[in-house]
Amino acid sequence: MNNFTIKSFAPYSLNYLIYIQNAFISNKDGALKFPSLETAHWGFLEEKLFFESYKNVWAEMVRRISLNPLTDNNGILLTEQTLFRKLFKTDNQGEKGFEESRKSFYAWFSSLTGQLTIERAADHILYYEINIYSKVSSTIFHHDKTNQELLISLIYDECLFGVSKGDSWHSIISLKDIFLEKKALVSIITERWNKGEV
């Protein structure tokens, strides 16, 4: 009896953090990352503090999603704004910057070119081209008495400031991984599952 399932989705929280990461990079380095916006007025923390805060916020959201994927929803930036505000200065500029970033992110992510496109593009490759379910379920160690679910969090770009490792049952995969590293994905996921990496 196979009690293994896969659930994949593009979480609001992790994609918002990638959005913020890329806005920060674009503003600081002039790199062409999406979104490429003028964000100097958003009131981000100074670079060293930003990196440290980002790693902590990223790790906390990965932990929460690993424990319960339902904690991530379209209202998370409001209900957990205290957590996300840690990336911004505590003054009026930071408060306004957070609000502007949140609205800008929602305008994109809630549209047809945001979450829906990320999930559909990823699903097509994961489930039809790679046939991830068959390949992963045939190579992982199964435990007869427990339901086993692999959770895949899809992010639109790679995470450069945080660690993209979840628990052994939670993989965080960028579209870059899916399009450019798809041959290695199954072995990476199954090795982590079988080792029980945390």
Side-chain angles (χ1 to χ4, degrees), residues 133-177:
Y133 181 84
S134 291
K135 290 180 179 172
V136 170
S137 67
S138 68
T139 55
I140 63 167
F141 299 140
H142 291 280
H143 306 284
D144 293 331
K145 296 182 180 177
T146 60
N147 289 330
Q148 297 176 300
E149 180 176 84
L150 170 63
L151 175 64
I152 298 176
S153 290
L154 304 166
I155 52 178
Y156 79 91
D157 201 357
E158 58 192 328
C159 180
L160 302 173
F161 300 159
V163 178
S164 281
K165 279 189 171 181
D167 291 301
S168 60
W169 64 88
H170 181 199
S171 290
I172 300 164
I173 300 173
S174 72
L175 289 180
K176 179 181 177 184
D177 295 332

Side-chain angles (χ1 to χ4, degrees), residues 16-196:
Y16 172 74
L17 289 169
I18 297 298
Y19 190 84
I20 291 298
Q21 165 198 272
N22 287 358
F24 186 86
I25 290 171
S26 294
N27 195 55
K28 289 283 185 196
D29 302 336
L32 295 176
K33 300 287 267 175
F34 178 80
S36 184
L37 302 170
E38 176 53 50
T39 59
H41 65 283
W42 280 9
F44 287 130
L45 293 174
E46 296 303 320
E47 192 166 343
K48 186 177 178 184
L49 290 173
F50 182 87
F51 291 151
E52 187 177 309
S53 260
Y54 189 95
K55 286 177 187 174
N56 292 334
V57 173
W58 180 269
E60 177 60 19
M61 283 315 308
V62 169
R63 185 189 71 77
R64 290 181 189 187
I65 292 169
S66 291
L67 292 173
N68 182 1
L70 297 177
T71 60
D72 189 273
N73 58 65
N74 65 354
I76 193 158
L77 299 181
L78 289 174
T79 59
E80 298 297 328
Q81 66 180 292
T82 303
L83 180 64
F84 295 107
R85 286 263 301 122
K86 291 179 180 181
L87 302 171
F88 298 83
K89 295 176 184 171
T90 57
D91 60 11
N92 192 40
Q93 181 187 22
E95 186 176 325
K96 287 182 179 178
F98 171 72
E99 283 305 311
E100 188 176 325
S101 73
R102 185 182 62 78
K103 289 176 183 174
S104 174
F105 172 76
Y106 276 135
W108 163 66
F109 201 67
S110 299
S111 74
L112 291 176
T113 61
Q115 184 181 37
L116 182 66
T117 299
I118 294 166
E119 290 176 347
R120 293 307 151 249
D123 285 354
H124 179 76
I125 292 173
L126 289 174
Y127 297 106
Y128 297 103
E129 288 183 33
I130 298 176
N131 193 8
I132 196 166
Y133 181 84
S134 291
K135 290 180 179 172
V136 170
S137 67
S138 68
T139 55
I140 63 167
F141 299 140
H142 291 280
H143 306 284
D144 293 331
K145 296 182 180 177
T146 60
N147 289 330
Q148 297 176 300
E149 180 176 84
L150 170 63
L151 175 64
I152 298 176
S153 290
L154 304 166
I155 52 178
Y156 79 91
D157 201 357
E158 58 192 328
C159 180
L160 302 173
F161 300 159
V163 178
S164 281
K165 279 189 171 181
D167 291 301
S168 60
W169 64 88
H170 181 199
S171 290
I172 300 164
I173 300 173
S174 72
L175 289 180
K176 179 181 177 184
D177 295 332
I178 292 169
F179 283 98
L180 301 180
E181 308 293 333
K182 62 183 166 187
K183 290 183 180 180
L185 272 180
V186 170
S187 62
I188 291 167
I189 290 169
T190 56
E191 283 174 24
R192 287 184 66 229
W193 180 284
N194 289 336
K195 286 181 184 175

